[in-house]
């Protein structure tokens, strides 16, 4: 599947006109265990704070010193076992306490922290209008508005917090400064998305934490501020770094997780892919199993203009994980 015709037009229209209404297809996102994090560097180990799984995206041609790439096979096995255990734990709790049924639709409150060196745009002080457009991009993408499967999720901006602190700028992945920043600023419970924006270290475009049963102060998404709609990050300035990283926050792996063998990204309807795809390589096919590489999927590494979809299986996996980890 190649670059979607008129995708740029549809994406721009979505930024201008999208609302918080969720275009939900419940048949596509039933609450069932799924059958089944953003870097553009060669596959390697995921470097992260010891108590949290994270993943990152690197600009094409960049070389992240920390190499925060796809998870190892061992980390995936651990995460999948934990998801199964968390689902069982939730089921027992609901049965014993008469708790509410699993959610079928979810509105996620979003707290945005704009980290800046000073009051200038060059120093990280992006306008709030870019943040508003980013939320619109998330709502359109997760509603299936650019052509992919609709998911259960919509996003509601609750706060934009501008923070001037040169010690946190740029944001360095895995650093004590990142931990200090998040420990000081994070708001809300497991269901609140904290989005940290700023200049990032090591050519990274963004990174995110996966959900856990116990809330960590590190929980959230970090994104390059100039990757937001209207930013200066050429080829990566339509807001889909945010879309991709929120996918990790909701428990999606990269489409190329595990390469051509094993369980891959633990989603059955994303074709296997040997390695990340860059730019928009129409017709790319790196595995012998059925299907071309999913280069238009939000969880690959292609240009923002090439990405436009989640699959029904990804939608189901995200909702399953929400009910296991983040639902009240």
């Amino acid at each position: 599947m190649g670059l979607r015709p008129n995708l740029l037009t549809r994406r721009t229209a979505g930024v201008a006109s999208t609302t918080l209404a969720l275009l939900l297809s419940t048949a596509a996102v039933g609450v069932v265990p799924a059958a089944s994090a953003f870097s553009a560097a060669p596959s390697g180990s995921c470097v992260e704070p010891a108590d949290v799984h994270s993943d990152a995206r690197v600009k094409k041609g960049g070389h992240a010193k920390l190499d925060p790439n796809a998870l190892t096979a061992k980390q995936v096995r651990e995460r999948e076992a934990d998801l199964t255990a968390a689902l069982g734990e939730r089921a027992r709790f609901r049965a014993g306490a008469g708790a509410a049924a699993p959610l079928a639709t979810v509105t996620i409150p979003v707290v945005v922290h704009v980290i800046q060196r000073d009051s200038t745009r060059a120093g990280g002080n992006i306008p709030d209008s870019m943040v508003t457009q980013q939320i619109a991009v998330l709502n359109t993408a997760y509603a299936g508005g650019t052509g992919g499967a609709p998911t259960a999720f919509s996003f509601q901006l609750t706060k934009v917090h501008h923070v001037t602190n040169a010690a946190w700028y740029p944001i360095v992945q895995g650093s004590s400064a990142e931990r200090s920043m998040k420990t000081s600023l994070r708001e809300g419970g497991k269901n609140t998305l904290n989005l940290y924006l700023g200049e990032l270290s090591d050519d990274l475009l963004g990174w995110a934490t996966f959900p856990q049963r116990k809330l960590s102060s590190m929980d959230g998404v970090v994104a390059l501020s100039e990757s937001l709609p209207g930013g200066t990050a050429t080829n990566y300035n339509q807001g889909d770094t945010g879309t991709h990283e929120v996918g990790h926050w909701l428990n999606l792996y990269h489409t190329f997780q595990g390469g051509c063998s094993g369980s891959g990204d633990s989603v059955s309807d994303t074709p296997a892919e040997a390695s990340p795809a860059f730019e928009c390589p129409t017709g790319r096919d790196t595995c012998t199993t059925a299907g071309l590489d999913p280069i238009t999927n939000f969880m690959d590494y292609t240009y923002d203009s090439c990405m436009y979809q989640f699959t029904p299986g990804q939608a189901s996996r995200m909702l399953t994980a929400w009910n296991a980890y983040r639902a009240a």
Side-chain angles (χ1 to χ4, degrees):
M1 203 180 302
L3 176 61
R4 185 176 181 83
N6 81 337
L7 174 60
L8 293 177
T9 301
R10 294 184 64 184
R11 189 183 300 278
T12 301
V15 169
S17 64
T18 188
T19 71
L20 294 180
L22 179 65
L23 307 176
L24 176 68
S25 167
T26 54
V29 291
V31 184
V32 295
S36 57
F38 206 147
S39 82
S43 180
S45 62
C46 181
V47 179
E48 59 199 2
D51 64 340
V52 65
H53 288 294
S54 65
D55 218 346
R57 187 187 188 192
V58 184
K59 299 174 185 177
K60 177 171 174 55
H63 300 282
K65 288 183 289 186
L66 298 177
D67 196 19
N69 299 327
L71 300 183
T72 65
K74 180 175 183 290
Q75 287 173 321
V76 170
R77 288 194 299 270
E78 290 171 348
R79 285 208 52 79
E80 294 306 292
D82 189 74
L83 175 58
T84 299
L87 287 167
E89 184 179 275
R90 284 280 185 161
R92 290 190 295 273
F93 171 75
R94 291 188 181 104
L103 296 172
T105 61
V106 179
T107 298
I108 299 175
V110 184
V111 177
V112 177
H113 310 279
V114 179
I115 310 302
Q116 51 198 61
R117 181 183 59 218
D118 52 46
S119 61
T120 68
R121 174 72 177 265
N125 184 22
I126 60 171
D128 288 359
S129 60
M130 290 175 65
V131 176
T132 302
Q133 289 182 318
Q134 177 66 69
I135 300 302
V137 166
L138 291 177
N139 276 302
T140 300
Y142 281 81
T146 52
T151 80
F153 302 97
S154 62
F155 302 84
Q156 185 170 23
L157 181 63
T158 62
K159 182 179 182 179
V160 181
H161 183 204
H162 287 257
V163 181
T164 302
N165 188 333
W168 295 342
Y169 192 93
I171 306 171
V172 179
Q173 198 270 344
S175 67
S176 59
E178 182 195 6
R179 182 173 294 278
S180 174
M181 176 190 73
K182 289 183 172 180
T183 301
S184 300
L185 299 180
R186 195 189 185 285
E187 298 184 19
K190 291 182 181 180
N191 69 323
T192 301
L193 172 60
N194 280 249
L195 176 57
Y196 303 88
L197 303 174
E199 181 66 22
L200 307 187
S201 66
D202 304 319
D203 288 322
L204 296 173
L205 289 164
W207 61 85
T209 57
F210 291 106
Q212 297 177 298
R213 280 186 270 181
K214 181 179 180 180
L215 179 62
S216 167
S217 62
M218 298 297 286
D219 182 78
V221 166
V222 178
L224 178 69
S225 56
E226 295 295 346
S227 74
L228 271 61
T232 61
T234 304
N235 297 315
Y236 303 102
N237 58 357
Q238 295 182 34
D240 284 327
T241 289
T243 305
H244 175 111
E245 298 303 344
V246 171
H248 289 315
W249 189 77
L250 292 171
N251 210 42
L252 294 184
Y253 301 136
H254 296 131
T255 52
F256 49 85
Q257 175 65 48
C260 298
S261 61
S263 62
D265 64 352
S266 298
V267 178
S268 61
D269 60 1
T270 54
E273 186 177 24
S275 60
F278 304 108
E279 300 179 356
C280 195
T282 303
R284 184 177 189 256
D285 190 6
T286 57
C287 294
T288 58
T289 51
L292 298 177
D293 291 357
I295 66 165
T296 59
N297 196 283
F298 288 122
M299 302 313 293
D300 208 336
Y301 281 173
T302 49
Y303 288 160
D304 284 12
S305 60
C306 191
M307 295 179 162
Y308 70 85
Q309 66 174 329
F310 292 115
T311 67
Q314 288 174 315
S316 177
R317 179 178 172 83
M318 287 187 280
L319 186 56
T320 297
W322 182 272
N323 283 296
Y325 291 113
R326 296 197 182 277

